[in-house]
Amino acid sequence: MDVQGLKSRHTLLKEYAYTRGDIDRGYNNRTLYVNLSENSVAEKPVSEEMKEKFIGGKGFGLRLLWDGTKPNTKWDDPENEIIISPGPVAGITQYSGCGKSLVVSISPLTDLVIDCNVGGYFGPYLKFSGFDALEIQGKAARDVILVIDGTKGTVCIEEAPEEAQDSHILAEQLTEMYADDETDKRNVSVVSAGSAANFTRIGMLNFSWYDAKRKKVRIKQAGRGGIGTVFRDKNIKALVVKIEGIASNLNHVADLPAIQERGRRFAREMKELDHLQAHMKEVGTAHLMEIMNDYDLLPVHNFKYGAHDDTVKIDSHHLKKRFTQGIPDGCWVGCMMSCCKIAEDFKPRTGPYAGQVVDVEGPEYETAAGVGANCGIFDVDVLLELNFYCDTYGIDTISFGTGIAFAMECYENGIIDDEITGGIQLNFGNAEASLELIHQMARGEGFGVTVGQGVRQMKRIFALEYDANAQFLQDIGMENKGLEYSQYVSKESLAQQGGYAMTNKGPQHDEAWLIFMDMVNKQIPTFEDKAEALHYFPMFRTWFGLMGLCKLPWNDVEPEDNAEQDEPAKVPEHVDNYVTVYNSVTGKNIDKRELIRQSERVYNFQRVFNLRRGYGRREHDAQPYRAAGPVTMEEYESRLERYDQQMKEIIGVDPEGKTPEEKLAITREYREGLYEKLLDAVYKRRGWSRDGIPTIEHLQSIGMDLPELIDTVKLYLG
Amino acid sequence: MVTSKKATITVNGRIIEWEDGMTVKRVLEVMNYTFRMLVIKVDDRIVKKDDYASFPIPTGADVKVIHMVAGG
């Protein structure tokens, strides 16, 4: 690889020198601002109030984005920003899952704030280089890379015309280019998108690290909401950060032994219990494939069904055979969960890299379910190939899977035909069609570009240009707020319907995953119970995004005596670990209640941010009916006994003698009514009005009565 | 699902037929509960995983099979 040749073609547009300084208890107390239109670089101080109210990570991202944009800023306006912030706990190596950073921007899919929680080393390295956040604004005239060199204390904007666009090559080129030697590669991290992010709205970002044991550059994805699209729209080819090396206490924490002690406890749980519980070290989140299928929760054929006989062909037993075993797979140093599985030495059979030996990061559950079962594709090799191309082209596998599945159902219903698809027969199960569409997305041509606009845009296009039934498209198009659903069937869990559609950013399961508590365990039978769960869990899980933490070590392994705790679903011992880790990093003294309060402030800020942009009200929390119940008779009849029984025993209507249309209508009216009651209950619990607007009293009670928030909610509260 | 004359148990609020010699393991099979991270209580008594195959379920028992949240 002639990286010096590539580098010789760089043009330095700006060099900014800074003094690095030491991190103090998890904070640098400054952020880095870069404007690509002006080629300017600046440092911004972090105030005590910012730390108190916004904590870090996603909180810092939201604060900076609010200040940097106007209510009508669009995703492709130069003033839109991409903010990457690691959070105060990020960079800790003594407790598992502490290497995350949060990426925030205005989304091309939703026109709202989007946030992604991502592994890889960039976030911690950004922090070790001297900054609590990177805020990028403006648009470069031509492709640039931004290089933050913590070893020299410089920030450079360089035109970089020759490097590859696709991530698996680009990340390798830049790692080699900026590392002094082989050993130094571990001190470089790269953020990049890929060629399909140029032409779609579902672009994502890859965050790299160098896997010294394998001598390979690895990547993790900030997938949701199209931030990769924003990245390429700004003509950013890549971000590079470089440090001198990782040491045990670069965060200069208040109490390292306390963190070490909790870290040892957790490591013991992983060693002793993982093989009895989720098998994260062996298969990562892919262990859920057969579980979701067994519980009728695995999306099949655009979320019509929850199971398929062929799932056995793509379950974790098959995927395990492809994942390298026995080498640690943490996406940050010191993570004992080590679930970031990789299928090495795979040969794609299509596209520009056909026949080459590549590595596939995953597939994780969401990818296997999304590009596989939901599209009716039950072939491990195809899953691996789609996973590889989604990653290197810079496409979110979740939006890709849900988008393709929607297009397939439209094709099978005659809404789109071969003329529209360019001859692609888009039936469920047609792997060749899915592969062709992904390559079209990367080339910027054909029907792939239409699919790459996302489900909401496809609905609009199909209704306007092809005279499709808009209501049917609304019913089957699995998006809310413009974001594609992630891969769980929520029909039989009212709480999960709220866990999806009442989210701030759109239906991503990282706010709340309540299906087992609700549908299987029957632990939250009343609206008040569900509302309490839809308060606690979204707030608790928001906290990971404030800290720079991964969610998985919270509950993908659980202490042996967890079952004997009062509230085992919360995993109390791990919550206590988190409180201890935070206090030991920062020197503060919060408890588990203040933990929730910290999140509540940021969560409500994000809700008001949505309001400021003209969204964030009850109407925006509406869900497509397929998330709640059967849209078509084939769905109804596939679970006929269940639905008829529910009609008789729960709705109180005898299905005997009813026409199929009557049964569908009765079920729909009932389920839609339940969701409205859930909205009422959840809004009340969250301190919001019936229209979903945070009340002034609530904002005051949580210490978030900032003038700009009060001014915004006043416009809507009447 | 069940006839009124037969002995039953309740599993997560759902009434199912009781079987002679029924154990926790058998309940999991009947319910197709394949998830591994479970907390199981029979009439409020926690059953350890090692005892699933031997723990007898009496008629009329209230069985709670709490699936812990993972993944997601």
Side-chain angles (χ1 to χ4, degrees):
Chain A
M1 192 185 307
D2 179 21
V3 294
Q4 290 314 314
L6 296 173
K7 195 173 185 182
S8 70
R9 300 276 291 136
H10 288 194
T11 303
L12 182 64
L13 302 177
K14 173 73 180 179
E15 179 167 333
Y16 175 85
Y18 69 96
T19 306
R20 198 174 69 196
D22 285 333
I23 302 170
D24 179 24
R25 297 186 174 191
Y27 289 99
N28 286 285
N29 295 310
R30 66 177 166 181
T31 62
L32 177 64
Y33 172 82
V34 176
N35 190 308
L36 296 173
S37 299
E38 301 166 357
N39 289 322
S40 62
V41 178
E43 298 169 50
K44 290 183 177 180
V46 172
S47 67
E48 286 304 311
E49 188 194 32
M50 184 156 163
K51 289 195 285 186
E52 183 68 27
K53 303 284 191 196
F54 296 92
I55 310 296
K58 170 174 158 176
F60 277 16
L62 290 170
R63 173 77 271 178
L64 292 168
L65 190 66
W66 178 295
D67 292 341
T69 58
K70 299 185 185 73
N72 60 354
T73 299
K74 296 301 177 194
W75 71 271
D76 54 354
D77 287 343
E79 69 190 6
N80 188 18
E81 299 186 333
I82 296 171
I83 297 143
I84 301 172
S85 178
V89 167
I92 295 295
T93 58
Q94 294 82 11
Y95 194 86
S96 292
C98 294
K100 296 289 193 138
S101 46
L102 276 291
V103 194
V104 169
S105 188
I106 293 170
S107 160
L109 287 169
T110 67
D111 197 31
L112 298 170
V113 183
I114 188 76
D115 57 274
C116 292
N117 181 323
V118 60
Y121 288 13
F122 189 89
Y125 282 12
L126 173 69
K127 191 178 185 182
F128 299 156
S129 297
F131 303 103
D132 295 330
L134 167 62
E135 179 186 11
I136 305 171
Q137 197 169 41
K139 277 190 196 185
R142 283 173 289 278
D143 276 355
V144 297
I145 61 171
L146 177 71
V147 183
I148 302 163
D149 190 335
T151 69
K152 297 177 185 164
T154 57
V155 178
C156 293
I157 305 170
E158 302 174 11
E159 277 188 5
E162 298 290 338
E163 285 83 353
Q165 283 202 29
D166 291 340
S167 272
H168 78 290
I169 302 173
L170 177 58
E172 205 171 292
Q173 288 173 337
L174 294 176
T175 300
E176 185 164 334
M177 188 180 294
Y178 287 95
D180 297 336
D181 51 36
E182 175 66 25
T183 306
D184 195 42
K185 285 183 180 176
R186 70 187 67 190
N187 297 323
V188 175
S189 178
V190 177
V191 177
S192 57
S195 48
N198 294 326
F199 305 110
T200 68
R201 291 175 186 243
I202 59 174
M204 62 77 172
L205 295 177
N206 290 295
F207 281 52
S208 85
W209 81 98
Y210 189 69
D211 184 336
K213 288 191 173 64
R214 292 182 171 85
K215 298 192 182 305
K216 287 178 176 176
V217 176
R218 308 276 310 269
I219 45 177
K220 287 293 283 184
Q221 292 71 40
R224 306 309 324 267
I227 305 181
T229 303
V230 180
F231 192 84
R232 290 300 300 137
D233 182 67
K234 291 182 175 302
N235 285 320
I236 307 171
K237 190 172 262 183
L239 313 175
V240 179
V241 66
K242 181 179 180 182
I243 63 165
E244 288 160 349
I246 300 170
S248 65
N249 193 10
L250 290 176
N251 269 299
H252 293 107
V253 303
D255 185 357
L256 188 61
I259 301 170
Q260 289 170 322
E261 193 271 326
R262 297 301 174 122
R264 281 193 295 272
R265 274 198 220 176
F266 182 82
R268 196 159 53 242
E269 288 169 22
M270 277 305 298
K271 185 179 176 188
E272 295 174 357
L273 302 172
D274 180 53
H275 67 288
L276 301 173
Q277 297 183 9
H279 298 240
M280 294 296 281
K281 279 186 186 175
E282 296 166 22
V283 293
T285 57
H287 75 94
L288 290 169
M289 285 300 289
E290 54 269 28
I291 301 292
M292 292 302 116
N293 192 67
D294 287 347
Y295 288 79
D296 208 24
L297 296 168
L298 178 73
V300 172
H301 294 187
N302 194 31
F303 295 86
K304 281 188 210 172
Y305 317 117
H308 195 287
D309 288 345
D310 287 340
T311 300
V312 69
K313 297 176 183 172
I314 56 170
D315 66 14
S316 70
H317 307 292
H318 282 82
L319 293 171
K320 185 180 174 183
K321 293 174 189 166
R322 304 300 187 92
F323 295 145
T324 314
Q325 300 293 326
I327 304 177
D329 279 310
C331 68
W332 175 238
V333 178
C335 182
M336 304 305 288
M337 184 143 265
S338 211
C339 61
C340 178
K341 304 309 296 180
I342 178 172
E344 296 182 88
D345 303 330
F346 175 75
K347 280 189 185 175
R349 60 178 175 78
T350 68
Y353 307 110
Q356 297 182 17
V357 177
V358 300
D359 298 316
V360 186
E361 299 286 349
E364 296 189 40
Y365 167 75
E366 293 291 335
T367 300
V371 309
N374 206 15
C375 298
I377 296 171
F378 299 92
D379 181 323
V380 169
D381 286 302
V382 175
L383 264 58
L384 289 171
E385 186 149 344
L386 288 168
N387 190 153
F388 165 73
Y389 275 115
C390 277
D391 287 353
T392 198
Y393 286 162
I395 294 177
D396 172 24
T397 56
I398 296 175
S399 283
F400 178 82
T402 300
I404 295 279
F406 171 73
M408 284 176 162
E409 186 168 358
C410 288
Y411 182 85
E412 293 207 337
N413 278 278
I415 293 166
I416 54 174
D417 57 20
D418 289 353
E419 190 179 342
I420 292 167
T421 65
I424 298 172
Q425 295 181 332
L426 207 46
N427 299 93
F428 285 114
N430 188 348
E432 303 310 313
S434 200
L435 287 162
E436 174 55 23
L437 289 173
I438 199 169
H439 298 311
Q440 289 187 356
M441 289 180 194
R443 296 194 298 265
E445 63 184 40
F447 189 64
V449 173
T450 303
V451 177
Q453 302 313 301
V455 170
R456 179 165 283 194
Q457 293 299 323
M458 277 194 280
K459 287 195 306 190
R460 185 182 60 77
I461 293 166
F462 295 173
L464 276 177
E465 298 185 14
Y466 310 134
D467 203 25
N469 180 328
Q471 183 60 54
F472 181 67
L473 296 181
Q474 173 59 29
D475 286 347
I476 67 166
M478 290 299 285
E479 60 87 9
N480 153 271
K481 301 181 176 73
L483 188 69
E484 286 73 25
Y485 271 69
S486 68
Q487 308 301 331
Y488 299 98
V489 172
S490 54
K491 289 187 177 88
E492 300 308 316
S493 171
L494 179 61
Q496 186 57 35
Q497 292 167 32
Y500 268 140
M502 295 181 197
T503 47
N504 276 325
K505 68 182 170 196
Q508 167 72 355
H509 54 279
D510 65 352
E511 270 200 19
W513 196 90
L514 302 173
I515 298 181
F516 279 167
M517 285 183 79
D518 188 33
M519 180 185 104
V520 183
N521 302 342
K522 309 289 185 193
Q523 286 173 294
I524 44 176
T526 68
F527 287 107
E528 288 70 26
D529 293 334
K530 295 182 205 304
E532 182 59 35
L534 281 166
H535 179 261
Y536 177 82
F537 288 101
M539 298 311 150
F540 178 69
R541 294 177 67 149
T542 291
W543 197 77
F544 296 128
L546 307 184
M547 293 294 130
L549 286 167
C550 177
K551 167 265 163 192
L552 296 172
W554 163 49
N555 66 354
D556 280 64
V557 67
E558 289 166 359
E560 205 163 16
D561 65 350
N562 189 54
E564 293 155 32
Q565 306 302 313
D566 284 345
E567 296 179 290
K570 295 181 179 177
V571 199
E573 184 175 326
H574 288 180
V575 174
D576 192 59
N577 286 352
Y578 289 124
V579 169
T580 299
V581 169
Y582 173 76
N583 285 338
S584 302
V585 169
T586 61
K588 293 184 183 296
N589 185 30
I590 68 162
D591 58 17
K592 63 181 181 182
R593 282 168 287 278
E594 179 60 18
L595 180 159
I596 296 297
R597 184 54 55 90
Q598 288 181 332
S599 288
E600 217 174 351
R601 293 187 189 111
V602 175
Y603 194 91
N604 279 271
F605 184 86
Q606 190 167 356
R607 183 74 176 185
V608 181
F609 203 151
N610 286 351
L611 265 181
R612 181 202 195 211
R613 295 187 56 75
Y615 307 96
R617 303 173 69 176
R618 189 181 185 108
E619 64 183 287
H620 305 111
D621 289 340
Q623 60 180 338
Y625 181 58
R626 179 158 287 162
V631 173
T632 63
M633 269 318 295
E634 66 172 332
E635 284 170 88
Y636 192 101
E637 285 171 354
S638 75
R639 308 293 187 270
L640 183 67
E641 187 184 351
R642 174 194 298 164
Y643 293 134
D644 275 2
Q645 188 184 351
Q646 288 178 356
M647 191 176 297
K648 192 170 185 178
E649 295 179 2
I650 301 174
I651 305 176
V653 174
D654 189 346
E656 194 66 35
K658 293 278 184 292
T659 67
E661 290 74 19
E662 285 172 333
K663 287 184 184 181
L664 270 181
I666 290 165
T667 300
R668 180 166 188 155
E669 183 182 2
Y670 176 73
R671 290 184 177 220
E672 288 184 335
L674 288 181
Y675 186 68
E676 292 302 317
K677 288 176 185 169
L678 183 71
L679 284 169
D680 288 339
V682 173
Y683 289 167
K684 184 179 176 187
R685 176 62 187 87
R686 290 183 180 176
W688 298 353
S689 74
R690 286 201 74 235
D691 198 23
I693 296 161
T695 64
I696 292 171
E697 295 74 22
H698 181 63
L699 293 173
Q700 288 169 337
S701 74
I702 61 173
M704 210 54 178
D705 48 339
L706 304 175
E708 63 271 33
L709 300 195
I710 300 298
D711 289 347
T712 303
V713 298
K714 271 183 181 171
L715 295 173
Y716 295 94
L717 285 170
Chain B
M1 185 193 330
V2 291
T3 60
S4 56
K5 300 289 184 189
K6 290 184 175 173
T8 62
I9 60 171
T10 304
V11 183
N12 287 359
R14 186 174 158 195
I15 297 169
I16 66 168
E17 279 181 18
W18 177 81
E19 298 172 3
D20 190 25
M22 199 171 208
T23 62
V24 167
K25 181 168 180 280
R26 178 61 188 152
V27 170
L28 298 179
E29 288 166 1
V30 169
M31 299 298 289
N32 197 29
Y33 285 164
T34 57
F35 190 57
R36 285 179 289 262
M37 296 169 72
L38 301 173
V39 177
I40 300 182
K41 293 181 180 177
V42 177
D43 293 329
D44 288 328
R45 185 175 157 200
I46 290 179
V47 182
K48 291 187 181 298
K49 188 181 284 258
D50 292 345
D51 299 332
Y52 287 179
S54 59
F55 195 96
I57 306 288
T59 58
D62 181 20
V63 182
K64 290 191 171 63
V65 184
I66 306 300
H67 292 58
M68 304 308 295
V69 181

